[in-house]
Amino acid sequence: MFGRVKPLDAILATAEKKSLHRSLGAFQLTMLGVGAVIGTGIFVLTAEAAQKAGPGMMVSFIIAGFVCAVAALCYAEMAAMVPVSGSAYTYSYAVMGELVAWMVGWALILEYAIAAGAVSVGWSGYMVGWLNTSFHLDIPLTLVRGPFDGGVINLPAMAIAGLITWLLVLGTKESATVNAVLVAIKITALSLFVALTLPVIQTGEFVPFAPNGFAGISGAAASIFFAYVGFDAVSTAAEETKNPQRNMPIGLIGSLGICTVFYMLVAAGVIGTVGAQPMAGPNGEILSPGTPALSAACAAIQDNAVVCSKEALAWTLRVVGYPFVGWVVGAAAILALPSVILMMMFGQTRIFFVMSRDGLLPEFFSKIHPRFRTPHVITIMTGMFVSIFAAFFPVGLLADVSNSGTLFAFAAVSVAVIVLRRTEPTRHRPFRTPAVNIVAPISIAGCIYLFCSLSAVTIQLFFGWAVAGLVVYYTYSRNRSHVGRGTVEVHETDADIPPQSVPPIS
């Protein structure tokens, strides 16, 4: 029915012969998820959501979080049952065949690379604001914003992406202690924000609640979805997890639950203190995020609005009278956000690694550096693309494009759960998605709903990327697939990634 399918037993056997070191427990996975999720989405995209939905972004967080929750339940079943690298790509290959798996893997490439670019741009906003606040450095906008955001090139974003690429090539390994410290810094910063803003909330700031109607709330939910997608990276570490049947569901659902609580409290703090109303143009029209008109309006009022700020949370704290804490939150973002970039780029290399292991991508993509013992070729290639994205595109557009690939992959996993329940009902499932015939369809419908709520430009870019993927598949990958050739075992020429070169994601 689905064409070339790589049986689950073959996938598990392949991973067993050529596997990564299992060292992550439930707590590490949960912290990994929290560290991956809490990043640019909440530190920066709060302003983007405010421009689209106003105070209605509270509902947007609920919508995006709910879709992620039902998708997480589907992910948990598949990750526990198929504890190998590759995430949605691997699950799709086992259930719906090679073509679907290729398209999912292609979409995940879009997700991780673009997401890393978005986080780089978010880091740049905080770094520039922090330098201005701390040392009164007034860096020209032409050098810190891309052409779609009122500048020419975003050099800080480009620099941080290059730095992370260099670290990954060197094989820098973050210990569990460092990872826990970085997560603690982010949680502490958000906790400070919540503690200082909730007591001074003004209910009048919530009126009008939805100035752009439900369409604005939907559009904001599609953008805010980016704030949650880090939990997907937890599943890419399945092959490096101890007792994955138990620990993967805990890590996936636990990290999502913790982050949702923080997001709701932070959103309430922003809205109730400085407001969150979209900006209007001279004729009363709502200015769209990432447009020259909005950039011009922000410049005219000297960044005196949360919808204009590139460091929304730090700016909010300065406005309500806590400049030092705002400085601390900015410093926390500067310190912690690079670990999210590392996570995204790490996830990218894992997807390439598994696709190369299956013969769908060239073997040199997983070539190992003779000295550093890292997959330097694909890491450098990924870093180059991420740097270009970060240098020239605004965070809102990058987040939306990343979301399009993520939503496609989430929907594919939800379909895979339903199909596998019918094709292999007796297979052992350490974790079973509750009410799967209700939860999985809701997940699929939610992903489609959020995808359709993205901008027309974003949807067009996604389908253009998908067409390019089909061309690559039929001109190269289909004829070189190990499954297509009838050889699903691991070839001796396949390059492996040594466990010591794999940095735990933070």
Side-chain angles (χ1 to χ4, degrees):
M1 175 180 177
F2 295 107
R4 298 175 176 177
V5 175
K6 186 173 184 180
L8 281 177
D9 292 335
I11 291 176
L12 294 171
T14 297
E16 187 67 27
K17 293 180 181 178
K18 184 182 181 181
S19 62
L20 301 171
H21 178 61
R22 296 190 184 275
S23 61
L24 302 176
F27 176 77
Q28 290 173 307
L29 280 176
T30 302
M31 290 299 98
L32 181 154
V34 171
V37 171
I38 295 180
T40 295
I42 188 62
F43 280 103
V44 179
L45 289 183
T46 305
E48 296 282 339
Q51 182 63 18
K52 293 180 180 180
M57 70 175 175
M58 295 285 292
V59 179
S60 301
F61 272 109
I62 295 174
I63 293 173
F66 175 75
V67 173
C68 268
V70 290
L73 291 173
C74 297
Y75 255 92
E77 176 170 323
M78 295 300 297
M81 187 166 48
V82 191
V84 299
S85 292
S87 185
Y89 160 78
T90 299
Y91 310 152
S92 299
Y93 211 155
V95 180
M96 295 178 289
E98 185 173 276
L99 178 58
V100 174
W102 167 263
M103 295 307 297
V104 170
W106 192 251
L108 288 175
I109 293 172
L110 184 71
E111 171 192 348
Y112 285 118
I114 299 293
V119 179
S120 299
V121 175
W123 179 89
S124 172
Y126 270 89
M127 172 57 82
V128 172
W130 187 81
L131 289 175
N132 181 267
T133 302
S134 303
F135 306 105
H136 305 290
L137 294 178
D138 190 11
I139 305 175
L141 291 181
T142 55
L143 301 180
V144 296
R145 296 188 183 183
F148 296 95
D149 202 20
V152 176
I153 186 172
N154 194 329
L155 290 180
M158 194 173 185
I160 192 62
L163 176 61
I164 296 300
T165 301
W166 177 66
L167 291 175
L168 285 173
V169 169
L170 290 181
T172 301
K173 181 177 180 179
E174 297 179 81
S175 68
T177 301
V178 173
N179 176 50
V181 169
L182 291 176
V183 172
I185 289 173
K186 287 188 254 190
I187 292 178
T188 301
L190 292 182
S191 298
L192 277 173
F193 180 88
V194 170
L196 294 176
T197 55
L198 290 188
V200 295
I201 282 180
Q202 302 293 323
T203 56
E205 297 289 357
F206 291 84
V207 180
F209 187 75
N212 289 342
F214 197 74
I217 292 175
S218 299
S223 295
I224 284 174
F225 190 78
F226 182 80
Y228 288 96
V229 298
F231 86 87
D232 172 40
V234 177
S235 65
T236 67
E239 200 168 322
E240 296 153 83
T241 301
K242 296 182 294 185
N243 191 11
Q245 291 78 9
R246 170 185 175 273
N247 293 333
M248 286 305 300
I250 294 175
L252 284 165
I253 299 173
S255 59
L256 184 62
I258 292 172
C259 293
T260 299
V261 173
F262 271 110
Y263 285 3
M264 296 302 298
L265 294 175
V266 169
V270 171
I271 296 169
T273 52
V274 298
Q277 298 297 336
M279 290 187 62
N283 299 319
E285 74 278 12
I286 299 298
L287 302 180
S288 301
T291 61
L294 180 61
S295 297
C298 287
I301 62 175
Q302 298 181 343
D303 239 21
N304 190 28
V306 68
V307 294
C308 299
S309 179
K310 301 300 180 183
E311 41 161 359
L313 302 191
W315 180 86
T316 299
L317 287 168
R318 290 198 293 268
V319 169
V320 298
Y322 297 102
F324 178 73
V325 181
W327 180 89
V328 171
V329 169
I334 292 168
L335 180 63
L337 288 182
S339 68
V340 184
I341 304 172
L342 184 146
M343 177 278 301
M344 296 295 180
M345 294 181 65
F346 170 81
Q348 176 74 88
T349 60
R350 280 297 167 273
I351 299 299
F352 271 122
F353 171 67
V354 180
M355 294 177 75
S356 177
R357 183 166 67 183
D358 289 334
L360 298 178
L361 290 176
E363 289 185 9
F364 77 87
F365 275 18
S366 54
K367 185 177 180 181
I368 301 302
H369 192 282
R371 177 183 174 187
F372 302 124
R373 304 303 298 163
T374 57
H376 63 293
V377 174
I378 193 54
T379 300
I380 293 173
M381 288 178 59
T382 300
M384 290 174 60
F385 282 111
V386 170
S387 296
I388 292 172
F389 297 146
F392 297 108
F393 296 97
V395 63
L397 176 61
L398 291 173
D400 283 354
V401 173
S402 175
N403 287 347
S404 66
T406 306
L407 288 166
F408 177 77
F410 283 11
V413 171
S414 301
V415 172
V417 169
I418 297 176
V419 172
L420 200 59
R421 283 287 187 99
R422 297 180 179 178
T423 57
E424 298 192 43
T426 59
R427 180 174 286 274
H428 176 57
R429 290 170 170 81
F431 176 85
R432 297 177 68 89
T433 303
V436 66
N437 291 328
I438 298 176
V439 171
I442 290 176
S443 174
I444 296 167
C447 290
I448 294 174
Y449 164 72
L450 290 181
F451 182 88
C452 293
S453 298
L454 293 168
S455 67
V457 172
T458 301
I459 294 175
Q460 290 170 3
L461 287 172
F462 173 81
F463 282 111
W465 178 257
V467 170
L470 288 173
V471 172
V472 173
Y473 175 73
Y474 282 106
T475 57
Y476 176 87
S477 303
R478 179 177 171 82
N479 297 328
R480 291 167 175 80
S481 161
H482 293 168
V483 171
R485 293 179 174 183
T487 56
V488 297
E489 73 277 6
V490 182
H491 290 213
E492 292 182 358
T493 56
D494 287 347
D496 196 5
I497 300 179
Q500 63 268 25
S501 70
V502 181
I505 315 166
S506 46

